[in-house]
Amino acid sequence: MNYIDWIILSSTLLFIVIYGTLKSKGSKNVEEYILADQNTNWWTVGLSVMATQASAITFLSTPGQAFHDGLGFVQFYFGLPLAMIVICIAFIPVYHRLKVYTAYEFLENRFDLKTRTLAAVIFLIQRSVGTGLTIYAPSIILSSILGWNLTYITITIGILIIIYTYFGGTKALNVTQKQQAFVIMFGMFITFLLIIYKFPTEITFSNSLDIASINGKMDILNFSTDPSEKYTVWSGITGGFFLMLAYFGTDQSQVGRYLSGKSIKEIQMGLIMNGALKVPMQFFILLVGVMVFIFFQFNKSPLHFNPNNTRMIENSAYKTQYQELENELDVVLEEKNEITLLYSGQLNQDYDNPILEEKMINLNEKEREIRKQGSELIKKANPSAETNDKDYVFIYFILNYLPHGLIGLLLAVIFSAAMSSSASGLYAIASASAMDLYRSHVKDKTDEQYLKVTKYSVIFWGIVCILTACVINLFENLIQLVNIIGSIFYGTVLGIFLVALFVKYVKAKAIFWTGLFVQISVIYIFLLDIVGYLWLNLIGTLGVILLSIIVQFFINMNSEKKMN
């Protein structure tokens, strides 16, 4: 990075903090601070919802996911448009009619305070971890760039987000997220065009897709019925549907975004906009990752993308062995370069050469094996090292192959996304703890006191999220870890909400004990690792619905016996 990059990056961050702080002036009560006086138009709602979900993890981890595994991850989002329709029809009218501050306030109206508290506590657990992840993600960037201590950077970024969140309000968050969304998509689009521009003259965009397909990067649809498969059409439509229904319908970080809408119609239009654009957006980000893969067919890439691990092994007893693997990789990459250029030239002449295809596949396997051996050496040098480097692929490309100025813009994209999603998460946690845990139990305070509690909650939970971020280790990669955490907890909460909306037969006692039991059971099933994590949403949701009906039946039967 040079001074131009630092100017662009720091200017963006300062603008977010200062603008958010200035826009918060006038938030004199809880309603304005949390709901922005319910005066937000539909397209602001839509962009705010998208920006909240699109964290730094999305732009750090998703391209790396595609670099290694291709476009199949997009199947995860197949259930999202359907979830938006269900939320617009079933959830929004109820929330708007009851004029709730949080989604969990509705559960007290339908069941009792115990059930509201249970759902709020489950939310606070999973969202505090999720927000910790969104703080941790950009910390990786600065740690990689500057070689600074990761923990210190995490704490610094977390404090910056606490300040921005504390002085902000939902109105400020909604406004800044519109600008953040523009910066994010503009930066990614420019990067996509620049990658293609940097391809050799023999490589057209069409050729690059053919090359990616040969290397298994264009396999979008997986119709396997094996429940242990992580990403399939069926898990995306079912498990992904329930996860998105839970996230957008019951997670306060999202519910809080659209509860500020002017009317039911404005909220519904904003969510439909999100449903229409989200899958194409994720596909585009994954495609950027595939283009990075193609780019590295013609440009040097490291044996391992995590610079911290590379520095560590270069100072270990395995340095010589690691250098030998690097030399082997260079030979393979050079041969891949020649074969790929030759194949592309023949494609330009409308000739598809199966011999060259097979050579590319074999070379790709060799490259994968060499990288695997490199990871094994890193593990030998430091058994506690995380050898999965997916989250470092895109940042390596940004720092080493993009021109100055664009580097600063892409880092601004990632930090904008981080601050947007982290602030939304922190607002949601503070709102839930203040409204669902404090105000619901302590009812004799003034509105100003509730506002103070909400703001103090921002500080408390901000510290919790920072501590969480400091102890997180990479698990597969960040984008997967976020979704795994959601899958563990969302199903139970969604089940409670669906029963509340559609199963009037079930009462408070049955739903509370069922929800508690199912949540513990889902955690146990996850620890056994017997199904893909997306199925946990379905298991949790259906478990709560079916079991609560059974429990209510026995409660009713027992009551009848006592009466007789």
Side-chain angles (χ1 to χ4, degrees), residues 142-171:
L142 283 183
S143 178
S144 300
I145 296 171
L146 306 173
W148 291 354
N149 183 281
L150 180 60
T151 301
Y152 294 158
I153 296 174
T154 301
I155 293 172
T156 302
I157 292 175
I159 291 173
L160 183 64
I161 291 170
I162 289 175
I163 294 171
Y164 165 64
T165 307
Y166 179 88
F167 288 106
T170 294
K171 186 184 296 183

Coordinates of all heavy atoms in Angstrom, one line a residue, residues 142-171:
L142 N -5.6 -6.1 8.1 CA -4.5 -5.3 8.6 C -3.3 -6.1 9.2 O -2.2 -5.7 9.1 CB -5.0 -4.3 9.7 CG -5.8 -3.1 9.1 CD1 -6.2 -2.2 10.3 CD2 -5.0 -2.3 8.1
S143 N -3.7 -7.2 9.8 CA -2.6 -8.1 10.3 C -1.8 -8.6 9.2 O -0.5 -8.7 9.3 CB -3.3 -9.3 11.1 OG -2.3 -10.2 11.5
S144 N -2.4 -9.0 8.1 CA -1.6 -9.5 6.9 C -0.8 -8.3 6.2 O 0.3 -8.6 5.8 CB -2.6 -10.1 5.9 OG -3.3 -11.1 6.4
I145 N -1.4 -7.1 6.2 CA -0.7 -6.0 5.5 C 0.5 -5.5 6.3 O 1.6 -5.4 5.8 CB -1.7 -4.9 5.3 CG1 -2.8 -5.3 4.3 CG2 -1.0 -3.6 4.7 CD1 -4.0 -4.3 4.3
L146 N 0.2 -5.3 7.6 CA 1.2 -4.6 8.4 C 2.1 -5.5 9.3 O 3.1 -5.1 9.8 CB 0.5 -3.6 9.3 CG -0.3 -2.6 8.5 CD1 -1.1 -1.7 9.5 CD2 0.5 -1.7 7.6
G147 N 1.6 -6.8 9.4 CA 2.3 -7.7 10.3 C 2.1 -7.4 11.7 O 2.9 -7.8 12.6
W148 N 1.1 -6.6 12.1 CA 0.8 -6.3 13.4 C 0.1 -7.4 14.2 O -0.4 -8.3 13.6 CB 0.0 -5.0 13.5 CG 0.7 -3.8 13.0 CD1 2.0 -3.6 12.7 CD2 0.1 -2.5 12.8 NE1 2.3 -2.4 12.3 CE2 1.1 -1.6 12.4 CE3 -1.2 -2.0 13.0 CZ2 0.9 -0.3 12.1 CZ3 -1.4 -0.6 12.7 CH2 -0.4 0.2 12.3
N149 N 0.1 -7.3 15.5 CA -0.6 -8.3 16.3 C -2.1 -8.3 16.0 O -2.7 -7.3 16.1 CB -0.3 -8.0 17.8 CG -0.9 -9.0 18.7 OD1 -2.1 -9.1 19.0 ND2 -0.1 -9.9 19.2
L150 N -2.6 -9.5 15.7 CA -4.0 -9.6 15.3 C -4.9 -9.2 16.4 O -6.0 -8.6 16.2 CB -4.3 -11.1 14.9 CG -5.7 -11.4 14.4 CD1 -6.1 -10.6 13.2 CD2 -5.8 -12.9 14.1
T151 N -4.6 -9.6 17.7 CA -5.5 -9.3 18.8 C -5.6 -7.8 19.0 O -6.7 -7.2 19.2 CB -4.9 -9.9 20.1 OG1 -4.9 -11.3 19.9 CG2 -5.8 -9.6 21.3
Y152 N -4.4 -7.1 18.9 CA -4.5 -5.6 19.1 C -5.3 -4.9 18.0 O -6.1 -4.0 18.3 CB -3.1 -5.0 19.1 CG -2.2 -5.5 20.3 CD1 -0.8 -5.4 20.2 CD2 -2.8 -5.9 21.4 CE1 0.0 -5.9 21.2 CE2 -2.0 -6.4 22.5 CZ -0.6 -6.3 22.4 OH 0.2 -6.7 23.4
I153 N -5.2 -5.4 16.8 CA -6.0 -4.8 15.7 C -7.4 -5.1 15.9 O -8.3 -4.2 15.7 CB -5.5 -5.4 14.4 CG1 -4.1 -5.0 14.1 CG2 -6.4 -4.9 13.2 CD1 -3.5 -5.7 12.8
T154 N -7.8 -6.3 16.3 CA -9.2 -6.6 16.6 C -9.8 -5.7 17.6 O -10.9 -5.2 17.5 CB -9.3 -8.1 17.1 OG1 -8.7 -9.0 16.1 CG2 -10.7 -8.5 17.3
I155 N -9.1 -5.5 18.7 CA -9.6 -4.6 19.8 C -9.8 -3.2 19.3 O -10.8 -2.5 19.6 CB -8.6 -4.6 21.0 CG1 -8.6 -6.0 21.6 CG2 -9.0 -3.5 22.0 CD1 -7.5 -6.2 22.7
T156 N -8.8 -2.7 18.5 CA -8.9 -1.3 17.9 C -10.1 -1.2 17.0 O -10.9 -0.2 17.2 CB -7.6 -1.0 17.2 OG1 -6.5 -1.1 18.0 CG2 -7.7 0.5 16.6
I157 N -10.3 -2.1 16.1 CA -11.4 -2.0 15.2 C -12.7 -2.1 16.0 O -13.7 -1.4 15.7 CB -11.3 -3.1 14.1 CG1 -10.1 -2.8 13.2 CG2 -12.6 -3.2 13.3 CD1 -9.9 -3.9 12.2
G158 N -12.8 -3.0 17.0 CA -14.0 -3.2 17.8 C -14.3 -1.9 18.5 O -15.5 -1.5 18.5
I159 N -13.4 -1.2 19.0 CA -13.6 0.0 19.8 C -14.2 1.1 18.8 O -15.1 1.8 19.1 CB -12.3 0.6 20.4 CG1 -12.0 -0.4 21.6 CG2 -12.5 2.0 20.9 CD1 -10.7 -0.1 22.3
L160 N -13.6 1.2 17.6 CA -14.1 2.1 16.6 C -15.5 1.8 16.2 O -16.3 2.8 16.1 CB -13.2 2.0 15.3 CG -13.5 2.9 14.1 CD1 -13.2 4.4 14.6 CD2 -12.7 2.6 12.9
I161 N -15.9 0.6 16.1 CA -17.3 0.2 15.8 C -18.2 0.5 16.9 O -19.4 1.0 16.7 CB -17.4 -1.3 15.4 CG1 -16.7 -1.5 14.0 CG2 -18.8 -1.7 15.3 CD1 -16.5 -2.9 13.7
I162 N -17.7 0.3 18.2 CA -18.6 0.7 19.4 C -18.9 2.2 19.3 O -20.0 2.6 19.6 CB -17.8 0.3 20.7 CG1 -17.8 -1.2 20.8 CG2 -18.5 0.9 21.9 CD1 -17.0 -1.7 22.0
I163 N -17.9 3.0 19.1 CA -18.1 4.5 19.0 C -19.1 4.8 18.0 O -20.0 5.6 18.2 CB -16.7 5.2 18.8 CG1 -15.8 5.0 20.0 CG2 -16.9 6.7 18.5 CD1 -14.3 5.4 19.7
Y164 N -18.9 4.3 16.8 CA -19.8 4.6 15.7 C -21.2 4.1 16.0 O -22.2 4.9 15.8 CB -19.3 3.9 14.4 CG -20.3 3.8 13.3 CD1 -20.8 4.9 12.6 CD2 -20.7 2.5 12.8 CE1 -21.6 4.8 11.6 CE2 -21.6 2.4 11.8 CZ -22.1 3.5 11.2 OH -22.9 3.4 10.1
T165 N -21.4 3.0 16.6 CA -22.7 2.4 16.9 C -23.3 3.2 18.1 O -24.5 3.5 18.0 CB -22.5 0.9 17.3 OG1 -21.9 0.2 16.3 CG2 -23.9 0.3 17.5
Y166 N -22.5 3.5 19.1 CA -23.1 4.2 20.3 C -23.7 5.6 19.9 O -24.8 5.9 20.3 CB -22.0 4.4 21.3 CG -22.4 5.2 22.5 CD1 -22.9 4.5 23.6 CD2 -22.3 6.6 22.6 CE1 -23.4 5.1 24.8 CE2 -22.7 7.2 23.8 CZ -23.2 6.5 24.8 OH -23.6 7.2 26.0
F167 N -22.9 6.3 19.1 CA -23.4 7.7 18.7 C -24.4 7.6 17.5 O -25.0 8.7 17.3 CB -22.2 8.6 18.4 CG -21.4 9.0 19.6 CD1 -20.2 8.4 19.8 CD2 -21.9 9.9 20.5 CE1 -19.4 8.8 20.9 CE2 -21.2 10.3 21.6 CZ -19.9 9.7 21.8
G168 N -24.5 6.5 16.9 CA -25.4 6.4 15.7 C -26.8 6.1 16.2 O -27.2 6.2 17.3
G169 N -27.6 5.7 15.2 CA -29.0 5.4 15.5 C -29.5 4.7 14.2 O -28.7 4.6 13.2
T170 N -30.6 4.1 14.2 CA -31.1 3.4 13.1 C -31.2 4.3 11.9 O -30.9 3.9 10.7 CB -32.5 2.7 13.4 OG1 -32.3 1.7 14.4 CG2 -33.1 2.1 12.1
K171 N -31.5 5.5 12.1 CA -31.6 6.5 10.9 C -30.3 6.7 10.3 O -30.1 6.6 9.1 CB -32.2 7.8 11.4 CG -32.5 8.8 10.3 CD -32.9 10.1 10.9 CE -34.2 10.0 11.6 NZ -34.7 11.3 12.1

